[in-house]
Amino acid sequence: MKNIISRCLVLCLVLVSQISFAQDREVKAVHKESAQKDITEIKKYITLTPAEEEGIYKVLVDKNEYLNEYPTISTDRRNWVVGGYTYGIEQVFKKSDKQGKDKFDSLMKNENLLQKVNLHIIPETSK
């Protein structure tokens, strides 16, 4: 009897871990799809080299995962986090061609685009 109960418990644990793993894969796929849409938006405004596209894509996937994991962070914390991802994008452009700085500046000046790809700074409300 103990053997049957032990087997059932092990089977339940395996099943739960498999369900969790499948859900995690689905969530990561959504983050990757969202990052690809963001890349498409960015490419409407500036031309990206393949290396820039790959680097920015990785930064955007990380950003999407973080902001999804912590959806209720404070505005100032969110702005700080977004600043970190913006810095990551700047580093991608710095490693790229000579026009990298101009491309980064162009990206950062386009507030509409920054809002579309969720890299904008949210004004803080007075307390």
Side-chain angles (χ1 to χ4, degrees):
M1 185 66 170
K2 287 182 181 180
N3 197 13
I4 293 173
I5 293 173
S6 296
R7 286 182 183 176
C8 287
L9 285 174
V10 168
L11 183 60
C12 286
L13 289 173
V14 169
L15 183 59
V16 166
S17 69
Q18 290 298 318
I19 290 170
S20 176
F21 179 72
Q23 287 174 336
D24 189 46
R25 275 197 347 222
E26 282 181 32
V27 168
K28 287 185 183 215
V30 168
H31 297 316
K32 289 178 179 181
E33 182 180 320
S34 177
Q36 192 58 55
K37 287 179 182 176
D38 292 346
I39 289 288
T40 302
E41 283 297 318
I42 292 170
K43 288 170 70 175
K44 289 179 183 177
Y45 295 95
I46 57 177
T47 305
L48 299 175
T49 66
E52 290 169 341
E53 186 173 337
E54 181 182 346
I56 293 170
Y57 172 79
K58 288 177 182 178
V59 171
L60 292 174
V61 169
D62 287 346
K63 174 207 48 115
N64 292 342
E65 287 177 355
Y66 186 89
L67 292 179
N68 185 63
E69 191 169 333
Y70 302 103
T72 59
I73 60 175
S74 66
T75 300
D76 57 336
R77 174 73 178 168
R78 182 218 170 266
N79 288 344
W80 182 80
V81 167
V82 166
Y85 289 112
T86 301
Y87 178 77
I89 291 172
E90 181 180 20
Q91 295 310 302
V92 169
F93 280 122
K94 279 185 177 180
K95 291 178 185 175
S96 133
D97 58 21
K98 294 178 183 177
Q99 291 83 26
K101 183 177 179 351
D102 294 335
K103 291 178 184 179
F104 178 74
D105 290 343
S106 175
L107 175 66
M108 291 296 104
K109 289 177 184 173
N110 191 331
E111 188 63 33
N112 187 36
L113 175 60
L114 292 175
Q115 286 185 351
K116 285 182 181 179
V117 299
N118 201 14
L119 284 171
H120 62 291
I121 299 299
I122 299 173
E124 299 203 31
T125 56
S126 57
K127 295 178 182 179

